[in-house]
Amino acid sequence: MLSPARIAVLVSGGGTNLQALLDAQAAGRLPSGEIVLVVASNPGAYALERAKKAGVPGFAVSRRELGSQEAFEEDISALLRQYQVDLIILAGFLSILSADFTAKWPRRILNIHPSLIPAFCGKGMYGLKVHEAALAKGVKVTGATVHFVNEIPDGGEILLQKAVDILPGDTAEVLQRRVMEQAEWILLPQAAELVSAEIVKGRT
Ligand code: GAR
């Protein structure tokens, strides 16, 4: 049996997408991957509690405390080396990674974004803001996208997408929850397995 791809999940907040990945792993839906590390961009992230409960090592790396993007990324890179990570998954990770960093991980960083890219994405578009923008525009369908990460925010190759209806009377919060339930928490574990399987296959 080949060893699974070693996955680091980078988070900033509540971590429901991290939970979806942990649940998928526990249910045997991530056979080609193993979540070995969680890194949070802020020490108060509830995602760190989720990691702890699942027995996965979790660390906070604060850009503000470290003072520079270089120091922030060097600390993350040191953790990735220490845990021999093969695949990075951004699951609600709200810090931008530099072109230097992303260039070192071609097709090895995944991100989940809560819209159908290229709609409502790019710099400054994250979390509830994405759903507020979709409601303001009056679109009737939104969704989620999993894509590879390159130097352009939300600009990397699209791997999976799923559409979700917008219903009359939706608030941003209601819509966010529906997009998570109907798209994000399904797509992200699927994408993790797809790329993990590719990594494992590449080792043979
Ligand atoms: C998710 O909706 C994710 O798609 C979004 O932040 C939320 C994090 O929730 N990410 C972005 O907007 C990235 N541009 P979570 O911490 O509960 O997974």
Side-chain angles (χ1 to χ4, degrees), residues 151-164:
E151 71 285 1
I152 303 158
D154 298 325
E157 182 189 330
I158 290 170
L159 185 62
L160 297 174
Q161 284 189 309
K162 193 166 188 292
V164 174

Side-chain angles (χ1 to χ4, degrees), residues 11 37-45 48 57-63 65-66 72 75-76 79:
V11 294
L37 172 68
V38 170
V39 181
S41 65
N42 90 73
L48 285 172
F59 299 88
V61 177
S62 162
R63 193 191 174 289
E65 275 171 29
L66 288 162
F72 175 64
D75 269 28
I76 294 174
L79 285 166

Side-chain angles (χ1 to χ4, degrees), residues 96-154:
I96 298 279
L97 293 167
S98 72
D100 273 356
F101 185 97
T102 58
K104 290 183 188 129
W105 293 87
R107 289 179 69 88
R108 292 294 177 263
I109 311 176
L110 286 174
N111 180 47
I112 178 105
H113 182 77
S115 74
L116 294 174
I117 290 175
F120 313 117
C121 66
K123 206 162 183 278
M125 270 292 181
Y126 57 86
L128 273 181
K129 289 186 187 192
V130 180
H131 303 293
E132 282 162 6
L135 290 174
K137 188 69 191 176
V139 294
K140 304 302 174 211
V141 176
T142 184
T145 302
V146 179
H147 63 94
F148 290 111
V149 173
N150 64 9
E151 71 285 1
I152 303 158
D154 298 325

Side-chain angles (χ1 to χ4, degrees), residues 11-19 47 50 90-94 111-115 121-122 124-128 130-131 144-145 147 154 176 179-180 184-185 188:
V11 294
S12 297
T16 65
N17 279 286
L18 166 65
Q19 193 64 54
R50 297 181 189 271
L90 310 183
F93 183 68
L94 302 181
N111 180 47
I112 178 105
H113 182 77
S115 74
C121 66
M125 270 292 181
Y126 57 86
L128 273 181
V130 180
H131 303 293
T145 302
H147 63 94
D154 298 325
Q176 179 181 52
V179 169
M180 284 176 159
E184 295 188 47
W185 300 340
L188 194 57

